[in-house]
Amino acid sequence: MFAYHAIREIRRRKIRSIINILGYVIAVSFLIIMISLAQGYNVVASGELKGIGTHFVAYIPASTVCPCQFREAGPFFKDVYTPTFNSDIVEKMLDLPGVDDAAPYLMFKLDNLTISGIKVGALATEATAVSPAMVVDGKYLEEDDKESVMLDEVFANLLNLNVGDQITAFGRTFNVVGIVNPSLYSKPAGNAHMYGLLTVVQEIAQSYGTLLNFLVSDINVVLVEISPIGDVEYLNSVKQSVLETLEFEVGKKGAIVGYQCGVKARKVASLTEDSAWITSVILLVAATLYSLRSQFGSVVERTKEIGILKAMGWTDIDVTKQIFFESLLQGLLGGIIGLIIGYLITFLIPMLGLVSIQNLVFAVSPVLLLFGLISSIVGGIIAGIIPAWRAAKLQPAEALRHF
Amino acid sequence: MTTKNYPLLETRNLTKEYFRKDGSIIKALDGINLKVNSGEFVAIVGRSGSGKTTLLNIVGALDRPTYGEVILEGKKLIDYSNRELALLRRQKIGFIFQTFNLLPTLTARENIELALVHHQISQKQMNQKVEDLMDFLEISDKMDSFPNELSVGQQQKIAIARALVKDPVLVLADEPTGEMDPIAEREIMELLFELNRKSKVTIIMASHGTFLFDFSDNMLFIKNGKLVPKKEADY
């Protein structure tokens, strides 16, 4: 009944209805095309940008022989036991020209098990060691996760451990809050079996240092992020200044190892997707507001008709349903047409060679389609609420006097 | 139908005031008292602006009085909620307007059916009622026509059918022939008179014309919102 009259009204006011529906069509198809395009671009861009090396680690390589006396235990990095040094050096490196960020890092080995202590929230940590993007299950460590660790995916699979399980290692019991795969986007700075907060790993290293009689200070690696500007010569000069600072402060010969830049590249690429989302949402809101205004105008124009319906015994709820259904139907129609158009165009773009990026593959996610449809329906609902309420509140005698 | 001991419709001291922006008050109705028995054809005669439409709107539960009471079938409408008034209009009151007020998007048949869509009635019964009525009104051949394809007389017949199809106890006609030529006017008046006599439906008709003398059981004259004797009437 309501659907029948809604369709009649939509057909009667063709221009108005077409413009309303068109608003949803444009917004939804734009959403599908832009997000799919951005996601496809993201994959390609990540691959392309992996080769840019703007970050590296600085450490003091020492001996493959364990500094301990009773067990294989000690600060460890890149297959060797390494000396440790005070983390104040990080502050000095941060002052160097060209250094964007520097973060302390402590990898500790006990027998065949390694744990890395990280500074959460540091760009250098995320770019070089492990980042939230590498979490394949659970969550990334937070600053108050003192009794928690993230496990390397291979290690977790080997022990059949999952998020929510507990693991006993290094004389402590940890909650597993996340499973990570640091090799997912870039070559990481030394894979560890476990990742914990820096302060926690420092405590572990100190307790074993005291127990097994080797010296432990603070950290054994500094993760460094260089500003991604300038040429290779410039990058090398910054690296050299970092190395000199390390060697000067520690008094031993240091080493620098550069890494690929998958994480940062992905961050840059993801900006495109973020902006596509923002633009699409703005378009959807604009379509909804236009439809709201249009529906409101329609109610004003139909004031007398609403009066007639009320005179025949339609209740406020009946009138509300009628107006609301019209708006909802327009949102639904716009959403469905938008999905079809967006889907077709997304596949036509690479077929027609409309983009110059090679290897660009579009895949429209079902979740995105669902989101597009739900958004336009919600838009239709919002656009219908106020006019429907206004129509319901009209007094029949007043409405009948309207011309 | 009217309950034995009281009239179908009664108004007591019915008053409607409108407030102007400057704070002054206009009295559209001023203490109207009337009684209408079941099956009567009552004419309310008065000039434009005398209060006829306001009276019909309030009696038909389209508007509420500022003071006074409307009592339909022994029940005071002042106690009714908006929803209850809507249901009352749906079940018991049919309206015929001067400008017909047909919905332009619907065919003649659909306009009539619109009065029954919320009634507990099968599609078959609905079709039967609509077709019988259209036969009686001699507009069966216009079932699928849209209002803009019909003459004013035919449009008003559709509006009359819409008012009657739900078998109301009361039909309120507000200058139903106001836009018609004398021949069409006569035809519609005879039709309403015949309906009143055959189906015993109570009709209250507002008009400024004296031709109602030929049809009505009871004529009331309204002037400046008050019922007045014929000799004081101004029409």
Side-chain angles (χ1 to χ4, degrees):
Chain A
M1 164 65 198
F2 293 112
Y4 177 75
H5 286 289
I7 291 167
R8 284 262 184 188
E9 275 307 315
I10 288 171
R11 285 174 60 187
R12 177 158 72 117
R13 296 164 197 276
K14 283 193 184 74
I15 303 287
R16 184 193 290 273
S17 304
I18 287 171
I19 292 172
N20 285 351
I21 292 169
L22 201 61
Y24 293 114
V25 169
I26 292 169
V28 172
S29 55
F30 183 85
L31 174 84
I32 305 294
I33 296 163
M34 290 309 292
I35 300 299
S36 301
L37 188 72
Q39 286 174 342
Y41 166 75
N42 219 351
V43 172
V44 176
S46 293
E48 295 289 328
L49 293 170
K50 269 181 183 175
I52 301 171
T54 56
H55 50 264
F56 57 89
V57 300
Y59 70 110
I60 306 290
S63 169
T64 52
V65 179
C66 182
C68 51
Q69 293 182 347
F70 308 108
R71 291 177 71 179
E72 285 280 327
F76 190 83
F77 189 69
K78 294 197 75 67
D79 303 327
V80 293
Y81 290 97
T82 67
T84 54
F85 44 84
N86 196 291
S87 59
D88 290 348
I89 197 169
V90 172
E91 297 300 321
K92 292 187 172 67
M93 289 184 180
L94 277 169
D95 292 336
L96 295 174
V99 172
D100 247 10
D101 192 29
Y105 189 77
L106 174 62
M107 182 185 271
F108 185 78
K109 182 182 178 189
L110 176 65
D111 298 330
N112 291 321
L113 195 60
T114 53
I115 184 167
S116 285
I118 58 170
K119 183 186 174 188
V120 173
L123 173 64
T125 304
E126 294 185 10
T128 315
V130 61
S131 76
M134 296 165 183
V135 175
V136 292
D137 193 17
K139 63 159 195 162
Y140 193 74
L141 277 179
E142 292 171 13
E143 285 185 8
D144 55 352
D145 283 335
K146 290 187 175 169
E147 293 175 356
S148 304
V149 289
M150 302 186 294
L151 300 185
D152 180 81
E153 190 177 22
V154 176
F155 177 63
N157 288 341
L158 197 67
L159 296 185
N160 198 24
L161 287 169
N162 297 302
V163 171
D165 291 344
Q166 288 192 322
I167 180 169
T168 302
F170 303 101
R172 296 173 179 222
T173 300
F174 295 104
N175 301 314
V176 178
V177 293
I179 307 292
V180 293
N181 183 352
S183 304
L184 200 57
Y185 301 116
S186 63
K187 185 182 173 187
N191 265 4
H193 297 112
M194 302 163 63
Y195 296 85
L197 294 180
L198 178 65
T199 51
V200 173
V201 178
Q202 282 174 330
E203 285 172 15
I204 291 170
Q206 279 166 9
S207 64
Y208 280 96
T210 307
L211 194 67
L212 301 176
N213 197 27
F214 64 85
L215 298 175
V216 174
S217 179
D218 268 329
I219 57 173
N220 66 337
V221 178
V222 180
L223 311 172
V224 184
E225 184 73 19
I226 299 177
S227 303
I229 53 171
D231 53 16
V232 175
E233 203 172 319
Y234 168 77
L235 293 175
N236 284 339
S237 71
V238 178
K239 283 182 184 177
Q240 189 58 36
S241 64
V242 169
L243 183 62
E244 285 170 2
T245 304
L246 175 71
E247 290 177 342
F248 178 76
E249 294 294 329
V250 181
K252 293 179 182 175
K253 186 162 180 59
I256 289 275
V257 180
Y259 291 96
Q260 294 169 338
C261 192
V263 173
K264 192 150 187 176
R266 280 184 58 80
K267 278 187 177 175
V268 173
S270 68
L271 293 176
T272 312
E273 188 177 332
D274 291 347
S275 58
W277 274 107
I278 291 166
T279 315
S280 303
V281 169
I282 289 171
L283 261 177
L284 269 168
V285 170
T288 302
L289 288 176
Y290 181 82
S291 182
L292 170 69
R293 181 181 168 279
S294 177
Q295 276 298 99
F296 201 81
S298 170
V299 167
V300 172
E301 282 174 17
R302 289 157 60 192
T303 299
K304 185 157 190 170
E305 287 180 25
I306 291 166
I308 296 167
L309 294 175
K310 288 194 165 189
M312 281 189 290
W314 284 43
T315 62
D316 293 354
I317 294 290
D318 295 331
V319 174
T320 303
K321 280 184 190 169
Q322 175 67 37
I323 304 294
F324 187 73
F325 202 87
E326 284 173 31
S327 180
L328 180 66
L329 202 60
Q330 289 178 24
L332 181 66
L333 275 174
I336 291 171
I337 297 169
L339 286 190
I340 294 167
I341 291 175
Y343 194 81
L344 290 176
I345 291 178
T346 302
F347 282 98
L348 279 175
I349 286 174
M351 283 173 67
L352 297 175
L354 296 176
V355 283
S356 57
I357 304 168
Q358 286 185 335
N359 304 324
L360 189 56
V361 179
F362 293 131
V364 180
S365 139
V367 175
L368 185 61
L369 293 174
L370 193 65
F371 178 82
L373 186 62
I374 290 174
S375 300
S376 62
I377 291 172
V378 170
I381 289 171
I382 293 169
I385 286 174
I386 297 173
W389 176 80
R390 199 263 183 193
K393 289 293 145 199
L394 285 171
Q395 289 302 312
E398 278 177 40
L400 284 167
R401 277 196 290 270
H402 197 273
F403 290 99
Chain B
M1 298 298 289
T2 313
T3 310
K4 286 176 186 173
N5 297 330
Y6 31 76
L8 173 75
L9 174 75
E10 184 177 359
T11 69
R12 293 177 187 163
N13 192 30
L14 206 60
T15 303
K16 180 70 178 178
E17 294 175 347
Y18 292 104
F19 296 88
R20 282 181 168 152
K21 284 182 182 173
D22 63 7
S24 61
I25 295 172
I26 299 173
K27 273 195 175 179
L29 294 180
D30 190 1
I32 301 273
N33 294 296
L34 66 84
K35 288 182 182 177
V36 178
N37 292 316
S38 181
E40 270 191 312
F41 193 126
V42 177
I44 298 173
V45 180
R47 296 179 76 171
S48 294
S50 58
K52 302 188 297 292
T53 300
T54 306
L55 178 60
L56 290 191
N57 282 346
I58 293 175
V59 163
L62 290 173
D63 204 352
R64 291 179 186 270
T66 312
Y67 312 108
E69 290 178 340
V70 178
I71 302 163
L72 185 70
E73 293 186 317
K75 291 171 186 163
K76 292 180 180 178
L77 302 194
I78 198 162
D79 299 329
Y80 281 38
S81 66
N82 282 349
R83 177 180 161 74
E84 287 169 330
L85 289 179
L87 297 179
L88 180 81
R89 292 192 296 269
R90 181 184 298 178
Q91 300 292 342
K92 296 185 182 291
I93 303 171
F95 293 94
I96 304 169
F97 302 98
Q98 180 179 354
T99 51
F100 326 127
N101 285 347
L102 300 175
L103 296 192
T105 48
L106 304 184
T107 63
R109 171 198 274 274
E110 289 166 341
N111 262 291
I112 300 168
E113 284 179 352
L114 203 57
L116 292 175
V117 290
H118 290 113
H119 288 242
Q120 300 297 321
I121 182 172
S122 69
Q123 186 63 44
K124 191 178 173 185
Q125 287 173 305
M126 189 190 289
N127 290 343
Q128 193 60 53
K129 281 179 82 74
V130 172
E131 283 161 20
D132 288 349
L133 207 47
M134 291 184 86
D135 276 343
F136 176 74
L137 295 168
E138 298 175 349
I139 46 173
S140 296
D141 57 330
K142 304 295 178 189
M143 272 186 188
D144 298 319
S145 301
F146 286 92
N148 62 358
E149 297 167 347
L150 301 172
S151 69
V152 287
Q154 288 166 336
Q155 286 185 58
Q156 194 58 294
K157 283 186 178 179
I158 303 296
I160 291 169
R162 186 179 63 185
L164 293 170
V165 73
K166 58 188 175 186
D167 299 322
V169 295
L170 177 63
V171 170
L172 301 170
D174 188 3
E175 303 202 40
T177 59
E179 300 214 338
M180 295 178 188
D181 59 62
I183 295 171
E185 182 179 56
R186 187 88 200 165
E187 186 187 4
I188 292 296
M189 285 310 305
E190 285 174 353
L191 183 63
L192 289 172
F193 182 70
E194 189 181 352
L195 283 166
N196 171 252
R197 290 293 177 262
K198 279 189 176 173
S199 63
K200 302 294 180 194
V201 63
T202 309
I203 297 177
I204 302 178
M205 178 186 286
S207 179
H208 56 268
T210 51
F211 60 89
L212 287 171
F213 288 120
D214 299 339
F215 302 100
S216 58
D217 302 315
N218 185 9
M219 287 195 84
L220 302 171
F221 297 91
I222 188 166
K223 184 180 178 183
N224 296 330
K226 291 180 178 177
L227 291 182
V228 295
K230 186 181 176 185
K231 60 184 178 186
E232 293 177 24
D234 181 15
Y235 55 89

